[in-house]
């Protein structure tokens, strides 16, 4: 689990700000739910025989003896919250959430025990146009972030849960005579979750699977027609994708379409964003029957990709425009006032007021160290009628001005009105 230190937070803010602005443009609504849920919720949704439930959950008993779990993902929580909030009965909803998830996995680059997901879930819509919109939204985000080039969409059709059950039985029958040649994980999954064997990275298991029955041959005509329609919508929107028949996903609640946006820039942790349709989940949890589809992206992985491809905008680290040096106790009150007034009258201005006293030179050193573009110096033992201004670049530009002229000088010299911080600019879009 990682801390995010102040040097890193502008990157997070940029990513989150860009995503929030895009979600607002699509008119999706934010939902927030607790990080803790009843353990049962995840067992019944993700599935007892999945890696997450079998070995990755942070589960403990609370003081009442109830079994609680730190959420390993958001879909189950979102369904629970939306249903309890009466959002699902006979309506459509387009929701998103952002927050930490917890899985006790072996940490490595791109895989952490606390990681952040941005999740989007759409309820009440069973036609393929909603899947197309969700994938469009992802594609737009990659575009805005400048990483579209590095992400590839893989997609598959799992069919209905009946189709999957029939296929599972056929796969089991096919593998039975070779069961002892399967890798240990696949042997374990043979009875509990046979489809996950398709996901195996083991070479001899993969060789065995070459002649196995194909899921697509078990998928019903309706489901195939829906899938074909989705592919048409994606093609018309200019989103290219690749069919991956072995993409089955590690959570049990999916039916129909599943997909992953993957990259070859991050080593083993290649899935940046994954999701699919899960029409049976709400009813299975005892709630309102409602069709549903969604995805979640791992924000650390998006950040790694931005870093790897140097796609961060320039100037992101710069968080201070003006450093106000305050030399002498007699001007402290005036400085607080002036800072407030400038922040109010120059939207987007980031003004850092020096607190704690100290000599002129020491304060100016701090102004340079802060990365500010300009120092504003208020000096004296009594309130002043003028301030000194100095650009902290090689130009040696400076001025001593009456208080009333400071605003205009800053706006002109720093180009502040139309040069907002990238986060503020994104939010305003
Ligand atoms: P998931 O594939 O388990 O699906 O996780 C979604 C994304 O979260 C992954 O593609 C990956 O980017 C990121 N992720 C997963 N585990 C880790 C980790 N340990 N460290 C860093 N990043 C990680 C779900 O969670 C589903 N709830 C997605 C969904 C939403 N399906 C429908 N709606």
């Amino acid at each position: 689990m990682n801390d995010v230190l102040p040097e890193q937070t502008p990157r997070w803010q940029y990513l989150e700000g860009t995503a929030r602005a895009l979600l607002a443009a699509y008119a999706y609504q934010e939902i927030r739910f607790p990080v803790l849920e009843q353990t049962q919720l995840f067992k019944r949704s993700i599935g007892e025989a999945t890696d997450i439930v079998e070995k990755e959950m942070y589960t403990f008993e609370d003081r009442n003896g109830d079994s609680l779990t730190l959420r390993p993902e958001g879909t189950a929580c979102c369904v629970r919250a939306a249903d309890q909030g009466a959002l699902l009965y006979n309506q459509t909803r387009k929701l998103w959430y952002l927050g930490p998830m917890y899985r006790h996995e072996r940490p490595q680059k791109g895989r952490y025990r606390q990681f952040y997901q941005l999740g989007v879930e759409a309820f009440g819509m069973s036609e393929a146009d909603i899947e197309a919109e969700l994938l469009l939204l992802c594609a737009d985000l990659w575009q805005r972030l400048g990483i579209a080039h590095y992400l590839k969409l893989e997609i598959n059709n799992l069919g209905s849960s009946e189709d999957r059950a029939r296929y599972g039985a056929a796969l089991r029958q096919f593998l039975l005579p070779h069961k002892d040649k399967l890798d240990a994980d696949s042997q374990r999954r043979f009875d509990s979750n046979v489809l996950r064997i398709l996901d195996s990275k083991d070479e001899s298991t993969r060789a065995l699977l070459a002649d196995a029955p194909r899921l697509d041959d078990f998928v019903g005509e309706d489901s195939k027609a829906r899938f074909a329609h989705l592919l048409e919508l994606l093609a018309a929107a200019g989103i290219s994708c690749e069919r991956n028949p072995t993409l089955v996903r590690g959570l049990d609640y999916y039916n129909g379409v599943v997909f992953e946006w993957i990259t070859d820039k991050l080593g083993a942790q290649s899935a940046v964003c994954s999701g699919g349709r899960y029409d049976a989940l709400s009813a299975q949890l005892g709630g309102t029957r409602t069709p549903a589809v969604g995805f979640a992206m791992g924000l650390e992985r998006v950040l790694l990709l931005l870093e790897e491809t140097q796609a961060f905008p320039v100037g992101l680290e710069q968080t201070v425009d003006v450093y106000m040096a305050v030399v002498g106790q007699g001007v402290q009150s005036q400085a607080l006032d002036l800072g407030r007034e400038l922040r109010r009258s120059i939207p987007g201005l980031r003004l850092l007021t020096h607190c704690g006293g100290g000599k002129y030179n020491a304060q100016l050193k701090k102004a340079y160290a802060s990365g500010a573009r300009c120092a504003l110096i208020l000096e004296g033992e009594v309130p002043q009628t003028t301030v000194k201004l100095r650009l902290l670049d090689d130009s040696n530009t400076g001025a001593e001005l009456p208080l009333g002229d400071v605003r205009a000088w800053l706006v002109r010299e720093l180009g502040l009105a139309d040069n907002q911080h990238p986060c503020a600019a994104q939010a305003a879009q």
Side-chain angles (χ1 to χ4, degrees):
M1 298 189 190
N2 297 310
D3 302 310
V4 182
L5 299 177
E7 286 69 33
Q8 290 294 324
T9 45
R11 295 182 163 197
W12 282 84
Q13 288 169 354
Y14 163 69
L15 172 57
E16 291 172 6
T18 308
R20 277 174 207 277
L22 183 65
L23 288 158
Y26 273 81
Y28 280 52
Q29 295 175 298
E30 185 181 3
I31 182 167
R32 300 185 186 199
F33 34 78
V35 293
L36 271 180
E37 295 277 354
Q38 303 277 355
T39 302
Q40 217 37 38
L41 176 71
F42 301 115
K43 287 193 172 170
R44 289 170 59 194
S45 54
I46 299 169
E48 299 263 7
T50 56
D51 284 351
I52 297 180
V53 170
E54 271 183 351
K55 33 187 194 197
E56 295 171 2
M57 297 207 301
Y58 285 92
T59 296
F60 61 94
E61 273 192 9
D62 76 355
R63 288 167 191 273
N64 302 331
D66 293 329
S67 180
L68 301 181
T69 293
L70 278 171
R71 60 185 188 194
E73 60 110 44
T75 307
C77 316
C78 187
V79 170
R80 184 211 46 73
D83 201 43
Q84 276 181 8
L87 304 186
L88 301 184
Y89 183 70
N90 239 351
Q91 351 177 9
T92 59
R93 289 280 176 176
K94 294 177 173 181
L95 306 175
W96 66 271
Y97 50 86
L98 190 159
M101 308 291 158
Y102 301 86
R103 296 184 193 175
H104 194 277
E105 295 192 81
R106 199 168 47 78
Q108 60 183 86
K109 183 180 172 191
R111 188 162 76 188
Y112 313 102
R113 291 181 171 174
Q114 174 183 273
F115 60 98
Y116 282 76
Q117 275 188 353
L118 168 65
V120 176
E121 315 286 357
F123 296 104
M125 289 155 276
S126 53
E127 302 240 345
D129 55 347
I130 183 62
E131 274 112 335
E133 177 172 279
L134 290 173
L135 291 167
L136 221 71
L137 198 160
C138 293
D140 281 355
L141 183 60
W142 312 142
Q143 187 122 45
R144 285 195 185 194
L145 294 170
I147 50 175
H149 189 60
Y150 309 103
L151 284 158
K152 189 174 88 178
L153 175 61
E154 289 196 347
I155 193 161
N156 195 18
N157 183 12
L158 299 179
S160 66
S161 46
E162 295 78 34
D163 297 340
R164 273 212 286 177
R166 281 193 304 122
Y167 173 66
L171 186 60
R172 211 171 268 126
Q173 201 171 18
F174 168 83
L175 290 173
L176 188 60
H178 316 286
K179 197 176 164 189
D180 51 345
K181 293 193 211 100
L182 295 172
D183 61 281
D185 265 349
S186 296
Q187 289 199 19
R188 209 167 37 79
R189 286 174 176 151
F190 183 84
D191 291 313
S192 59
N193 200 350
V194 69
L195 260 68
R196 284 303 308 284
I197 296 180
L198 298 180
D199 244 4
S200 171
K201 305 278 181 286
D202 180 77
E203 292 224 347
S204 56
T205 301
R206 295 206 68 79
L208 271 177
L209 287 170
D211 299 323
R214 292 173 46 232
L215 173 57
D216 206 39
D217 295 332
F218 290 76
V219 170
E221 289 309 315
D222 276 4
S223 182
K224 277 190 173 153
R226 273 190 84 268
F227 190 62
H229 182 45
L230 172 60
L231 296 183
E232 279 167 21
L233 290 172
L234 292 178
I239 297 179
S240 46
C241 63
E242 197 172 291
R243 181 86 190 260
N244 175 358
T246 67
L247 179 65
V248 290
R249 307 277 298 124
L251 303 98
D252 278 358
Y253 49 61
Y254 292 111
N255 65 278
V257 179
V258 290
F259 55 84
E260 277 185 354
W261 291 90
I262 58 172
T263 179
D264 56 12
K265 295 268 172 216
L266 300 182
Q269 305 311 314
S270 60
V272 170
C273 174
S274 351
R277 189 164 269 287
Y278 54 95
D279 294 327
L281 182 58
S282 181
Q284 188 187 315
L285 292 173
T288 315
R289 181 172 295 279
T290 183
V293 53
F295 65 78
M297 66 185 71
L299 294 187
E300 286 84 355
R301 292 189 190 174
V302 180
L303 286 168
L304 279 171
L305 188 55
L306 284 163
E307 211 164 283
E308 204 80 18
T309 60
Q310 303 185 341
F312 286 113
V314 278
L316 210 54
E317 310 74 30
Q318 192 181 347
T319 54
V320 186
D321 299 309
V322 177
Y323 192 100
M324 177 155 58
V326 186
V327 188
Q329 269 194 357
V331 290
Q332 279 180 347
S333 168
Q334 190 181 18
L336 291 170
D337 260 3
L338 178 62
R340 218 180 197 181
E341 174 53 26
L342 289 171
R343 292 185 194 100
R344 194 193 58 73
S345 64
I346 309 177
L349 172 70
R350 293 154 314 163
L351 181 144
L352 182 74
T353 304
H354 179 95
C355 297
K359 297 221 161 66
Y360 176 93
N361 280 346
Q363 292 198 31
L364 217 61
K365 236 184 187 168
K366 289 202 167 143
Y368 277 106
S370 75
R373 294 152 66 205
C374 169
L376 185 161
I377 303 128
L378 199 54
E379 183 172 18
E381 289 316 316
V382 292
Q384 303 291 302
T385 53
T386 62
V387 295
K388 290 197 189 98
L389 290 147
R390 181 154 145 194
L391 290 188
L392 301 176
D393 55 17
D394 299 333
S395 70
N396 243 341
T397 309
E400 180 159 1
L401 296 176
L403 286 169
D405 295 346
V406 173
R407 180 189 178 280
W409 191 92
L410 287 176
V411 168
R412 191 181 64 244
E413 293 297 330
L414 301 182
L416 275 171
D418 45 33
N419 183 25
Q420 288 187 358
H421 185 256
C423 292
Q426 289 286 0
Q429 263 179 23

